[in-house]
Amino acid sequence: MVIERVAEKNRIESKFARYVSQNILGMIGISAYVLADTFFISKAEGADGITALNLVLPIYSLIFGVGAMIGVGSATRFNILRARKDRKADEFFSNALMFALIFGIVFIGMGIFVPGKLIAFLGGDARIVAVGTSYTRIFLLFAPFFMGNHICNAFVRNDGSPSLAMQATLFSSLFNIVMDYVLMFPFGMGMAGAALATAFSPVVGILMCCRHFFSKRSTIRWVWRRPSLKRLIEACQLGMSAFIGEIASGVTTVIFNFLILGLAGNDGVAAYGIVANTAIVATSIFNGVSQGSQPLFSECYGKGDRESVRKILEMAVGTSIVLAILVVLATNVFTEPIVRIFNSEQNGQMAVYALEGVRLYFIGFLFAGFNMVGTGYLGATEKAGWAFFTSIVRGVLAISVCAYVLAGLLGMTGIWLAFPAAELLTTALMIAAVRKSD
């Protein structure tokens, strides 16, 4: 009995290391193409290009959020039901993709008819609207592929192929980075080129995931049935924390952009663009820990193995704390090089804002890593109510209140401190939620 327990513990630790490390690499791959967009756009369009990109990031977040909610939620339901040998598990993959297409049509309509108005609504003046309209139109037209990529990747990961999920993410990101350069500079397509490179990258990811779907290892089945709203709701209950996690950056960006425009104008928004896009890399690391742990949580939970669930939670929290310390140290040591990379125009005022922003904003990841792991755990173990509540507090309520209060008291310094303050408040709630749900 003792030998069996030791063997099971070693198996879980090995599986955790494999799933989490590969998901971190994959998520960093996603963030890499956002950084590539920012870097190449800064070279081609300067501060106006970064401002335009930062203003439309909330739309990206909404598309990714819907894809994550449907994908992670459906894949989690699939994994739990499969562990229980329930044949309903087979219905979630096809249902997820059909609803991605349905929701994608809405975004396509926005891209065709109102891309410029969206930028203006998000705070862009006439100059920024002119720079960003083509970029916004193109990526909205490809919204179904962004959501479909999230879904395919989540199912491949939950079906026991985290390596292929990682490869799909990394290759799609590499494609994006290479095509960013090719289309923006040799072809001289500017912002439209950046958008096309980004738009086609999820297509690459989906095609790579198809290697698993058509292999003998796959247990995922396509079920030809009309889209089921009931199945969608069952999935979204467990994917809501993933949705909030994705749109949290969008909500933060909208609030910060409007506050910063009043405090520091376009230079301040451009500085926040540097901070926000760099923060995406850090966020991707902790999303990798959370999403890498999710299949293990749901599998062990589906089998009723509570001891293994607690062990995985301990490993995930410990990993996030170590990584958070490394992230904060790295951003404080390399603050000036980070800002310099994206400041091709040598804009002195923007650099001053961005230097302070990087140093203060990233303190929040000391708490954010634990919060992301916590919401992932709650969602994967069917604690949908707690997962939703903690995600809403973290992604909307706490950051909104902290941003408005601290900006009013401390100006731009308060803007940068809002994220650490909100994450600290959320951590207190998350500890209570995890203890109550255990």
Side-chain angles (χ1 to χ4, degrees):
M1 182 68 71
V2 174
I3 295 174
E4 289 179 0
R5 287 183 179 178
V6 171
E8 178 64 15
K9 179 182 176 182
N10 291 338
R11 186 187 71 83
I12 290 173
E13 290 177 350
S14 175
K15 206 169 182 180
F16 175 85
R18 183 164 63 94
Y19 271 64
V20 168
S21 62
Q22 291 175 350
N23 272 275
I24 288 174
L25 287 173
M27 296 303 294
I28 289 176
I30 293 176
S31 66
Y33 77 69
V34 177
L35 281 181
D37 266 1
T38 306
F39 174 73
F40 289 127
I41 287 172
S42 72
K43 293 294 184 183
E45 303 288 348
D48 284 352
I50 296 178
T51 301
L53 176 64
N54 196 49
L55 289 177
V56 301
L57 277 179
I59 308 174
Y60 262 126
S61 296
L62 180 59
I63 294 172
F64 288 173
V66 173
M69 178 175 63
I70 298 173
V72 172
S74 297
T76 301
R77 281 290 181 199
F78 163 80
N79 214 14
I80 292 173
L81 293 174
R82 186 183 59 176
R84 295 172 180 168
K85 303 188 185 304
D86 190 325
R87 296 180 64 182
K88 292 179 181 177
D90 290 338
E91 300 178 17
F92 283 89
F93 178 63
S94 53
N95 198 63
L97 287 179
M98 285 188 281
F99 272 103
L101 179 60
I102 292 169
F103 290 131
I105 291 171
V106 177
F107 289 107
I108 289 172
M110 294 166 63
I112 293 172
F113 297 110
V114 293
K117 290 181 180 179
L118 282 175
I119 299 172
F121 175 75
L122 292 169
D125 55 25
R127 189 177 66 192
I128 301 302
V129 169
V131 171
T133 295
S134 62
Y135 185 93
T136 306
R137 174 180 288 114
I138 291 169
F139 81 71
L140 282 170
L141 294 177
F142 281 76
F145 294 99
F146 287 116
M147 290 187 280
N149 190 36
H150 261 291
I151 293 166
C152 291
N153 203 278
F155 271 88
V156 168
R157 185 171 61 246
N158 276 265
D159 200 33
S161 293
S163 297
L164 181 58
M166 175 197 68
Q167 292 168 25
T169 304
L170 290 178
F171 273 98
S172 64
S173 298
L174 179 61
F175 171 87
N176 191 355
I177 292 169
V178 172
M179 294 309 295
D180 257 338
Y181 172 78
V182 171
L183 295 178
M184 291 186 75
F185 297 103
F187 282 80
M189 295 178 67
M191 293 286 282
L196 283 171
T198 300
F200 277 104
S201 64
V203 178
V204 175
I206 292 171
L207 290 174
M208 288 200 65
C209 287
C210 286
R211 289 171 51 198
H212 176 78
F213 298 139
F214 293 111
S215 72
K216 293 180 180 179
R217 291 185 57 194
S218 176
T219 65
I220 300 166
R221 303 287 179 263
W222 178 275
V223 179
W224 286 103
R225 290 184 183 172
R226 76 170 74 181
S228 168
L229 190 60
K230 179 184 177 182
R231 293 282 178 267
L232 178 68
I233 293 171
E234 289 176 354
C236 290
Q237 285 175 338
L238 301 187
M240 184 58 69
S241 60
F243 173 75
I244 300 297
E246 288 287 346
I247 69 164
S249 61
V251 171
T252 303
T253 300
V254 170
I255 293 170
F256 279 33
N257 282 341
F258 278 108
L259 290 173
I260 291 170
L261 281 169
L263 291 170
N266 284 347
D267 283 344
V269 173
Y272 177 55
I274 294 173
V275 175
N277 283 292
T278 307
I280 287 174
V281 179
T283 301
S284 72
I285 293 172
F286 300 108
N287 273 334
V289 178
S290 179
Q291 292 187 22
S293 306
Q294 175 266 310
L296 306 180
F297 280 134
S298 57
E299 180 184 359
C300 294
Y301 174 78
K303 293 177 179 177
D305 186 355
R306 302 281 179 164
E307 184 178 342
S308 294
V309 170
R310 283 193 292 270
K311 175 64 178 175
I312 295 164
L313 179 61
E314 290 172 2
M315 290 189 293
V317 170
T319 301
S320 70
I321 290 172
V322 172
L323 290 173
I325 293 170
L326 293 175
V327 165
V328 173
L329 288 174
T331 50
N332 273 272
V333 171
F334 299 106
T335 308
E336 291 187 10
I338 290 170
V339 174
R340 196 179 305 123
I341 288 171
F342 301 106
N343 190 13
S344 61
E345 296 179 325
Q346 302 297 310
N347 186 321
Q349 187 58 63
M350 182 180 74
V352 170
Y353 290 138
L355 287 168
E356 181 187 40
V358 171
R359 292 189 177 108
L360 296 179
Y361 189 94
F362 276 77
I363 295 171
F365 285 104
L366 292 172
F367 315 106
F370 169 75
N371 293 334
M372 291 181 201
V373 168
T375 53
Y377 159 78
L378 293 170
T381 55
E382 293 191 298
K383 308 300 186 299
W386 274 114
F388 176 75
F389 180 58
T390 53
S391 296
I392 284 290
V393 170
R394 174 179 179 259
V396 180
L397 299 179
I399 192 65
S400 300
V401 172
C402 290
Y404 279 103
V405 171
L406 293 176
L409 293 174
L410 302 172
M412 285 297 290
T413 301
I415 291 286
W416 307 132
L417 288 173
F419 175 65
E423 293 294 342
L424 176 59
L425 291 174
T426 305
T427 295
L429 174 65
M430 188 63 68
I431 291 172
V434 169
R435 284 180 174 174
K436 282 184 175 292
S437 64
D438 190 7

